[in-house]
Amino acid sequence: MSELFDQDPRDTAPPPRSARSRALIVTAVVLVLAFFGLTTFASIYTDRLWFNDTGYGDVFSTLLWTRVALFLVFGVVMALAVGASMYVAYRTRPLFHPNSPEQTGLDRYREAVTPIRTWLLVGISVVLGVFAGTSGVGQWRNYLLWRNGVDFDQEDAEFGRDIGFFVFDLPWLHFLVDFAMAVLVVSLIASLVVNYLYGGIRLQSPGDRLSGAAQAQLSVLVGLFVLVKGLDYWLDRFDVAYQSGGLFDGVKYTDANAVLPSKNILIGIAVICAVLFFVNVWRRTWMLPSVGIALLAVSAILLGMIWPAIMQQFQVKPSEADKEEEYIARNIEATRAAYDLDDIVVAPYSGSDPESDAAGLGTATTSVPLVDPQLVSRTFQETQQGRAYYSVADVLDVDRYELDGEERALVLGARELNQDDLNDNDKNWSNLHTVYTHGNGIIAAYANQRGTDNQSLSTETQWAEGNQGADQDALTRAAGPDGYESRIYFGEDSPEYSVVGKADEDDASVELGLAGATDDQERATTYDGAGGVPVGSTLRQLMYGIKFGETNFLLSGRVNGNSEVIYNRTPRERVEKVAPWLTIDDDAYPAIVDGKVVWILDGYTTTDRYPGAEKESFETMTDDSLQQDTGLQTLPTDEINYMRNAVKATVDAYDGTVTLYGWDEDDPILKAWRGAFPGTVVDKDEMSPELLEHIRYPEDLFKVQRYQFARYHVTDAGDWYQGNDRWQVPEDPNTQGNSLQPPYRLFVDVPSVEGEDGETIEGGRQWSLTSNFVPFGRNNLASFATVNSDATSEDYGTITVLQMQDQNTSGPSLIANEINADENVRDRLRAFETGQSPISYGNILTVPIANGLMHVEPIYAVRVGSSGGYPILQYVVVSIGDEIGIGTTLTDAIGDALTGISAPPPGDEGEGEPGDQPTEPQGSTEERIRALLARAEAAFAEADAALAEGNLAGYEAGVKKAQQAIDDAVELSGITPSPAPTEESPAAE
């Protein structure tokens, strides 16, 4: 190799360079390298500090050294291969060049290149090595999954291989083969250039075009490339198992009978072609290799493209249903397994039985959430925030709490800091990063518009927490005598970073906050939580100054020896950094657990390589009228065909502590990642009972499952092909565009149903996530789906689908049209149609009531004459059968639907002491119905109170009394709920 680096005696001496220009070049290069080196070091150094501070230092080390190793291995391989190819081409160059115009023209380039040939070889090799190393770094996920992969203990239907091979092994093997092909192509190009420059290849000279050495080198490189291409054909066979396109995803008839055999033939041709190139090293003729290459190219076109197309067009399409039946059945089976749809219970449901409707109406009134999490955000903002610089999320969260011995659904949001609302004059570095540092407390309202006693109905928002008033600190009282830590330093709207801590304990605190969760008085505090990276040393101040581009880390007196910097503050961002292999649910929600506010997030393991399963865009499946961001981070595209809720994560809102709990601990992908990052995910058993009470079924997973189940509830291949009984998720009738209706959380009285095995599945009151299905391309209601979201229940995650037996049952769009067309509703809303008080329609909720359905829609309007301009619940509209009712409360609306009159408040139904036997109502029919409805309302309130005290006998007696009262009211009204009209009409705007 010394010949390459020694000066050729035939070379002319290079012209001398100016010392000044050389110094300028060296200085510029040093400055550029120093800048990039310093910023890179600052980024890596501060990342290490952050990971160590959060307790996930091993994650940082694993990621860093895995990336470094991949960079070095693949970078060195590329650099050595290209360098060796260039060196061999130069070393074996002809010593004498024939006299020809071509070689004369190349002399000028040889004279320019030869003096710096060593630098060129090293420079080109290093640059290409850097690019190759960078591509290797991007494969850290595939490498770690390959290294730690486990078996799924399930085999694919076509190849009989464990699914783990497709998910864990195949992506990494594909990268290795593709990388080898890239290395050979780049090496071949480098060899061609050097050989041509130094006469090994002579295109315009008489005689041989290539020297013997050049021909041997090029033959070896091309032969290796063709051999690796044969290996690539072998791997491509397995890609057919999850390829997209056509009628369905996965292996189809044409794939099994044309594509796979053609791949096998191409493998054999590639091997033969490679052998011909290797033989060409000695035979020195391009005839056989050329024939081999031509045969490979023609075969790839004929066998890989034309033959499958002919089979598809003339053999499959004429009898597609029969040809594809076996493969459709495979696709159905794989898709249901990949999205965990096999255990969904489908049961027939009448939806319009009058006796059952009456029996369940009263129970429903206590559990239907009338507070719309999207519409009331402004109400929370205007009436609850302590100062202008606090805010709540645009879409609030729904959770449940046991308050005063009774389980209640709450609409809630964290009162977070919003620096955008500060006065512009106050937006300086000290205020933004050392004074306004955190939010404070939780704001919550009862979802069913009933107060603390769960009995009194009101059109006003019934606050449970955060209103700085009496009886409006229910969450604080439920947290214990000491309340809960209400300061929120880590939230969805937190600043980029804050510098906290004071130089001496006697120094005054400067961080501005509130005195408590329910106290509106300002108070200066100092953060003393466990989270936060110390920045007392000059080195760390310099590093963070570079990281954030801020000189005040070095200059400001607010940064002292005891200072800490807190950053990466959104819950989702923190979880994604410590678990970059997870896909995080869009909806992080706050909960008060063990005396502190924690954010709870759902983490998913996903892949797009589950053999045979249907692949779809994650964004498409989860998109609805409330969706903001899909959060899919772990795949090159957002298409997936497998999903599991593998992890539940929590982030402490005060000190930022991140905890990952394994949830679906049998998930093979989770097992692989736990092997790659041991100790980062703790067992599910380590969850505290109080945290478990707030764990719920994740929305994104449910939306993905409902999207796929809409088509894959059909399990017969023939029916699936014909599109029989295909469903779809309905569009939200109250939004513009084609956004799907979001799922809703509420307490649902799920009826007992019979499973596929004939076993009765007991129903009951469940904390649920619900959704509807409509027939494909129509607006009638096909089914109602609910999933048990109570993590403390043995039935958690059980999805029940109530399939309508009446095909004319109205869906959400038709219900919206019927409500808008109802004369009684229009008369009530006419006062708000002047433009001064715009109307906002809330969620249309579908509620099962025993063996029937009730649809409920709250209607909001800006209060006339109000200056705040926030929406207030004005009316509630219900649809029962084909009757529409409207009232200021849910009970009034039900009474209006049944009788055309409103029920009086509980207690006005007649004289007598509580517990007395009810007397027969007196008066006109309307008066008697009013009294019966009020009696039912009071009886259900008594039943709920008895249940809270553990008095099951009292609960059953109260429910029975209430149901009897509603039966009597319905009988007096003479109403018979009937099927909804079949006429389809577009959703109301």
Side-chain angles (χ1 to χ4, degrees), residues 789-806:
S789 291
D790 183 0
T792 63
S793 169
E794 294 182 356
D795 296 325
Y796 169 85
T798 299
I799 300 177
T800 303
V801 177
L802 306 178
Q803 186 169 2
M804 300 299 109
Q805 298 303 291
D806 182 357

PDB file of all heavy atoms in Angstrom, residues 789-806:
ATOM      1  N   SER A 789     -64.157   0.240  30.852  1.00  0.00           N
ATOM      2  CA  SER A 789     -62.941   1.025  31.100  1.00  0.00           C
ATOM      3  C   SER A 789     -62.528   1.020  32.559  1.00  0.00           C
ATOM      4  O   SER A 789     -61.649   1.795  32.953  1.00  0.00           O
ATOM      5  CB  SER A 789     -63.161   2.481  30.645  1.00  0.00           C
ATOM      6  OG  SER A 789     -63.259   2.553  29.246  1.00  0.00           O
ATOM      7  N   ASP A 790     -63.148   0.183  33.358  1.00  0.00           N
ATOM      8  CA  ASP A 790     -62.830   0.113  34.779  1.00  0.00           C
ATOM      9  C   ASP A 790     -61.696  -0.881  34.986  1.00  0.00           C
ATOM     10  O   ASP A 790     -61.889  -2.096  34.908  1.00  0.00           O
ATOM     11  CB  ASP A 790     -64.082  -0.315  35.549  1.00  0.00           C
ATOM     12  CG  ASP A 790     -63.847  -0.353  37.054  1.00  0.00           C
ATOM     13  OD1 ASP A 790     -62.712  -0.042  37.492  1.00  0.00           O
ATOM     14  OD2 ASP A 790     -64.784  -0.700  37.793  1.00  0.00           O
ATOM     15  N   ALA A 791     -60.502  -0.361  35.243  1.00  0.00           N
ATOM     16  CA  ALA A 791     -59.328  -1.225  35.372  1.00  0.00           C
ATOM     17  C   ALA A 791     -59.377  -2.089  36.618  1.00  0.00           C
ATOM     18  O   ALA A 791     -58.623  -3.068  36.712  1.00  0.00           O
ATOM     19  CB  ALA A 791     -58.052  -0.382  35.376  1.00  0.00           C
ATOM     20  N   THR A 792     -60.238  -1.766  37.570  1.00  0.00           N
ATOM     21  CA  THR A 792     -60.359  -2.595  38.765  1.00  0.00           C
ATOM     22  C   THR A 792     -61.307  -3.770  38.546  1.00  0.00           C
ATOM     23  O   THR A 792     -61.440  -4.619  39.424  1.00  0.00           O
ATOM     24  CB  THR A 792     -60.863  -1.754  39.947  1.00  0.00           C
ATOM     25  OG1 THR A 792     -62.179  -1.248  39.653  1.00  0.00           O
ATOM     26  CG2 THR A 792     -59.939  -0.573  40.204  1.00  0.00           C
ATOM     27  N   SER A 793     -61.961  -3.796  37.391  1.00  0.00           N
ATOM     28  CA  SER A 793     -62.926  -4.853  37.090  1.00  0.00           C
ATOM     29  C   SER A 793     -62.248  -6.002  36.361  1.00  0.00           C
ATOM     30  O   SER A 793     -61.324  -5.805  35.566  1.00  0.00           O
ATOM     31  CB  SER A 793     -64.075  -4.294  36.244  1.00  0.00           C
ATOM     32  OG  SER A 793     -64.881  -5.340  35.734  1.00  0.00           O
ATOM     33  N   GLU A 794     -62.730  -7.223  36.611  1.00  0.00           N
ATOM     34  CA  GLU A 794     -62.218  -8.379  35.889  1.00  0.00           C
ATOM     35  C   GLU A 794     -62.591  -8.321  34.413  1.00  0.00           C
ATOM     36  O   GLU A 794     -61.962  -8.981  33.584  1.00  0.00           O
ATOM     37  CB  GLU A 794     -62.753  -9.665  36.510  1.00  0.00           C
ATOM     38  CG  GLU A 794     -62.245  -9.928  37.932  1.00  0.00           C
ATOM     39  CD  GLU A 794     -62.776 -11.232  38.487  1.00  0.00           C
ATOM     40  OE1 GLU A 794     -63.601 -11.875  37.787  1.00  0.00           O
ATOM     41  OE2 GLU A 794     -62.381 -11.609  39.595  1.00  0.00           O
ATOM     42  N   ASP A 795     -63.616  -7.557  34.085  1.00  0.00           N
ATOM     43  CA  ASP A 795     -64.073  -7.446  32.700  1.00  0.00           C
ATOM     44  C   ASP A 795     -63.469  -6.256  31.981  1.00  0.00           C
ATOM     45  O   ASP A 795     -63.957  -5.866  30.909  1.00  0.00           O
ATOM     46  CB  ASP A 795     -65.609  -7.339  32.666  1.00  0.00           C
ATOM     47  CG  ASP A 795     -66.288  -8.589  33.193  1.00  0.00           C
ATOM     48  OD1 ASP A 795     -65.747  -9.675  32.964  1.00  0.00           O
ATOM     49  OD2 ASP A 795     -67.345  -8.459  33.845  1.00  0.00           O
ATOM     50  N   TYR A 796     -62.421  -5.646  32.555  1.00  0.00           N
ATOM     51  CA  TYR A 796     -61.778  -4.515  31.893  1.00  0.00           C
ATOM     52  C   TYR A 796     -61.360  -4.909  30.479  1.00  0.00           C
ATOM     53  O   TYR A 796     -60.780  -5.973  30.250  1.00  0.00           O
ATOM     54  CB  TYR A 796     -60.548  -4.059  32.672  1.00  0.00           C
ATOM     55  CG  TYR A 796     -59.680  -3.074  31.925  1.00  0.00           C
ATOM     56  CD1 TYR A 796     -59.955  -1.720  31.962  1.00  0.00           C
ATOM     57  CD2 TYR A 796     -58.593  -3.504  31.165  1.00  0.00           C
ATOM     58  CE1 TYR A 796     -59.163  -0.809  31.278  1.00  0.00           C
ATOM     59  CE2 TYR A 796     -57.797  -2.609  30.477  1.00  0.00           C
ATOM     60  CZ  TYR A 796     -58.079  -1.256  30.540  1.00  0.00           C
ATOM     61  OH  TYR A 796     -57.307  -0.367  29.851  1.00  0.00           O
ATOM     62  N   GLY A 797     -61.656  -4.022  29.520  1.00  0.00           N
ATOM     63  CA  GLY A 797     -61.269  -4.270  28.142  1.00  0.00           C
ATOM     64  C   GLY A 797     -62.254  -5.103  27.350  1.00  0.00           C
ATOM     65  O   GLY A 797     -62.052  -5.297  26.143  1.00  0.00           O
ATOM     66  N   THR A 798     -63.314  -5.590  27.996  1.00  0.00           N
ATOM     67  CA  THR A 798     -64.322  -6.366  27.271  1.00  0.00           C
ATOM     68  C   THR A 798     -65.173  -5.428  26.421  1.00  0.00           C
ATOM     69  O   THR A 798     -65.803  -4.500  26.932  1.00  0.00           O
ATOM     70  CB  THR A 798     -65.226  -7.140  28.245  1.00  0.00           C
ATOM     71  OG1 THR A 798     -64.429  -8.049  28.999  1.00  0.00           O
ATOM     72  CG2 THR A 798     -66.293  -7.914  27.480  1.00  0.00           C
ATOM     73  N   ILE A 799     -65.179  -5.658  25.128  1.00  0.00           N
ATOM     74  CA  ILE A 799     -65.957  -4.835  24.205  1.00  0.00           C
ATOM     75  C   ILE A 799     -67.258  -5.565  23.892  1.00  0.00           C
ATOM     76  O   ILE A 799     -67.247  -6.727  23.467  1.00  0.00           O
ATOM     77  CB  ILE A 799     -65.188  -4.558  22.905  1.00  0.00           C
ATOM     78  CG1 ILE A 799     -63.879  -3.816  23.218  1.00  0.00           C
ATOM     79  CG2 ILE A 799     -66.027  -3.745  21.929  1.00  0.00           C
ATOM     80  CD1 ILE A 799     -63.012  -3.554  21.993  1.00  0.00           C
ATOM     81  N   THR A 800     -68.370  -4.886  24.134  1.00  0.00           N
ATOM     82  CA  THR A 800     -69.692  -5.430  23.849  1.00  0.00           C
ATOM     83  C   THR A 800     -70.328  -4.608  22.739  1.00  0.00           C
ATOM     84  O   THR A 800     -70.370  -3.375  22.823  1.00  0.00           O
ATOM     85  CB  THR A 800     -70.583  -5.391  25.103  1.00  0.00           C
ATOM     86  OG1 THR A 800     -69.946  -6.107  26.164  1.00  0.00           O
ATOM     87  CG2 THR A 800     -71.946  -6.006  24.817  1.00  0.00           C
ATOM     88  N   VAL A 801     -70.801  -5.291  21.718  1.00  0.00           N
ATOM     89  CA  VAL A 801     -71.452  -4.630  20.582  1.00  0.00           C
ATOM     90  C   VAL A 801     -72.902  -5.081  20.544  1.00  0.00           C
ATOM     91  O   VAL A 801     -73.187  -6.277  20.401  1.00  0.00           O
ATOM     92  CB  VAL A 801     -70.744  -4.971  19.255  1.00  0.00           C
ATOM     93  CG1 VAL A 801     -71.479  -4.337  18.083  1.00  0.00           C
ATOM     94  CG2 VAL A 801     -69.301  -4.489  19.289  1.00  0.00           C
ATOM     95  N   LEU A 802     -73.808  -4.123  20.706  1.00  0.00           N
ATOM     96  CA  LEU A 802     -75.243  -4.392  20.654  1.00  0.00           C
ATOM     97  C   LEU A 802     -75.719  -4.126  19.233  1.00  0.00           C
ATOM     98  O   LEU A 802     -75.781  -2.966  18.802  1.00  0.00           O
ATOM     99  CB  LEU A 802     -75.988  -3.509  21.655  1.00  0.00           C
ATOM    100  CG  LEU A 802     -75.483  -3.580  23.111  1.00  0.00           C
ATOM    101  CD1 LEU A 802     -76.274  -2.627  23.992  1.00  0.00           C
ATOM    102  CD2 LEU A 802     -75.565  -5.001  23.643  1.00  0.00           C
ATOM    103  N   GLN A 803     -76.026  -5.189  18.517  1.00  0.00           N
ATOM    104  CA  GLN A 803     -76.409  -5.072  17.112  1.00  0.00           C
ATOM    105  C   GLN A 803     -77.919  -4.895  16.992  1.00  0.00           C
ATOM    106  O   GLN A 803     -78.696  -5.708  17.490  1.00  0.00           O
ATOM    107  CB  GLN A 803     -75.956  -6.302  16.329  1.00  0.00           C
ATOM    108  CG  GLN A 803     -76.181  -6.198  14.829  1.00  0.00           C
ATOM    109  CD  GLN A 803     -75.497  -7.305  14.075  1.00  0.00           C
ATOM    110  OE1 GLN A 803     -74.874  -8.189  14.667  1.00  0.00           O
ATOM    111  NE2 GLN A 803     -75.594  -7.286  12.757  1.00  0.00           N
ATOM    112  N   MET A 804     -78.327  -3.813  16.324  1.00  0.00           N
ATOM    113  CA  MET A 804     -79.734  -3.474  16.220  1.00  0.00           C
ATOM    114  C   MET A 804     -80.487  -4.508  15.372  1.00  0.00           C
ATOM    115  O   MET A 804     -80.071  -4.835  14.254  1.00  0.00           O
ATOM    116  CB  MET A 804     -79.912  -2.092  15.594  1.00  0.00           C
ATOM    117  CG  MET A 804     -79.275  -0.939  16.356  1.00  0.00           C
ATOM    118  SD  MET A 804     -79.924  -0.718  18.016  1.00  0.00           S
ATOM    119  CE  MET A 804     -78.524  -1.279  19.002  1.00  0.00           C
ATOM    120  N   GLN A 805     -81.581  -5.016  15.921  1.00  0.00           N
ATOM    121  CA  GLN A 805     -82.437  -5.901  15.149  1.00  0.00           C
ATOM    122  C   GLN A 805     -83.363  -5.116  14.233  1.00  0.00           C
ATOM    123  O   GLN A 805     -83.776  -5.603  13.183  1.00  0.00           O
ATOM    124  CB  GLN A 805     -83.260  -6.766  16.103  1.00  0.00           C
ATOM    125  CG  GLN A 805     -82.402  -7.664  16.983  1.00  0.00           C
ATOM    126  CD  GLN A 805     -81.498  -8.577  16.173  1.00  0.00           C
ATOM    127  OE1 GLN A 805     -81.981  -9.495  15.512  1.00  0.00           O
ATOM    128  NE2 GLN A 805     -80.196  -8.326  16.209  1.00  0.00           N
ATOM    129  N   ASP A 806     -83.701  -3.912  14.655  1.00  0.00           N
ATOM    130  CA  ASP A 806     -84.523  -3.033  13.818  1.00  0.00           C
ATOM    131  C   ASP A 806     -83.594  -2.256  12.890  1.00  0.00           C
ATOM    132  O   ASP A 806     -82.846  -1.381  13.321  1.00  0.00           O
ATOM    133  CB  ASP A 806     -85.323  -2.083  14.711  1.00  0.00           C
ATOM    134  CG  ASP A 806     -86.246  -1.179  13.910  1.00  0.00           C
ATOM    135  OD1 ASP A 806     -86.221  -1.261  12.666  1.00  0.00           O
ATOM    136  OD2 ASP A 806     -86.978  -0.387  14.521  1.00  0.00           O
TER     137      ASP A 806
END
